[in-house]
Amino acid sequence: MTGITQAINSALLHFLWQGVIVAFVLWIGLFLLRRRSAQARYLASCAALAAMAILPPITAWTVYGRPAPAPVTQATPMATETVPATAAHPPAIPQQWIANLQTWAVPVWSFGVLIFSVRVVWACGQISRMRRRGAAPDAGLAALVAALARRMRILQAVRILIAGEGESPSVVGWIRPVVLMRSEERRVGKECRSRW
């Protein structure tokens, strides 16, 4: 196993406990920030995500830059004492287990990244198809959304599309965000307008 592969394996294994610690600290932080603004809780969550993104490269760099331990040579004992075999050689099961785990860490992680990447690409394709097939809302729903945006002090124009698919209203897109609504939700919008 090369040095960089060993470093990546160690980073992946160490991230198990590092991620748990970051999640626990975030949980405490969100509990303490429960009465603060949503933006403060959002920033705390972003800081936790940034820490989780930074910890594996730092761990890999530390392991990769560490010099390899020199092989230990044992001198032959001068005394002819009888030492039980269990005392001379402690069981190496944990070391063997860790070595096996390190051997499979990178392939399993790579397979997981591949599966989740395919899932993200498929979801992006589905959302893109929904945006292309989406229809413009009627004038009443557009006016209702514009009024809600003014009440919420949203300065940017809110774009809405009526899609035939999807489970619930959702905001998609980053550069040009769009609110996708199902055709059944158009009926709910008409009911809301009648109550206004």
Side-chain angles (χ1 to χ4, degrees):
M1 187 180 301
T2 63
I4 190 68
T5 307
Q6 177 72 27
I8 292 171
N9 282 334
S10 297
L12 290 174
L13 293 178
H14 283 295
F15 185 69
L16 294 175
W17 63 267
Q18 291 171 344
V20 168
I21 289 175
V22 171
F24 183 70
V25 170
L26 175 64
W27 179 69
I28 291 172
L30 291 177
F31 178 76
L32 295 175
L33 294 172
R34 68 187 181 279
R35 299 196 191 280
R36 300 287 300 272
S37 67
Q39 184 176 9
R41 294 190 303 273
Y42 175 75
L43 290 175
S45 300
C46 287
L49 284 175
M52 287 187 175
I54 291 171
L55 282 172
I58 290 174
T59 305
W61 179 261
T62 304
V63 171
Y64 187 68
R66 186 186 310 153
V72 179
T73 57
Q74 273 188 327
T76 52
M78 298 298 288
T80 58
E81 276 184 34
T82 306
V83 179
T86 56
H89 302 289
I93 293 174
Q95 289 91 3
Q96 183 64 33
W97 183 78
I98 290 173
N100 288 339
L101 192 60
Q102 284 185 336
T103 302
W104 286 99
V106 169
V108 169
W109 175 75
S110 300
F111 182 72
V113 168
L114 177 68
I115 292 296
F116 283 106
S117 298
V118 168
R119 181 178 176 269
V120 167
V121 168
W122 181 80
C124 286
Q126 292 290 101
I127 291 171
S128 177
R129 186 167 57 89
M130 288 169 61
R131 285 182 73 155
R132 282 194 310 271
R133 293 182 179 178
D138 57 5
L141 182 60
L144 174 66
V145 170
L148 288 173
R150 280 192 301 274
R151 284 182 65 184
M152 296 173 67
R153 297 182 185 151
I154 298 174
L155 302 177
Q156 189 177 9
V158 178
R159 190 168 162 228
I160 299 174
L161 290 175
I162 305 299
E165 304 168 358
E167 297 178 4
S168 62
S170 55
V171 178
V172 297
W174 178 44
I175 298 172
R176 292 180 300 149
V178 174
V179 177
L180 289 177
M181 298 179 73
R182 293 185 63 177
S183 54
E184 292 87 9
E185 286 143 9
R186 187 177 358 197
R187 176 180 51 80
V188 175
K190 288 178 182 175
E191 293 175 4
C192 288
R193 283 198 308 276
S194 66
R195 291 176 189 170
W196 270 43

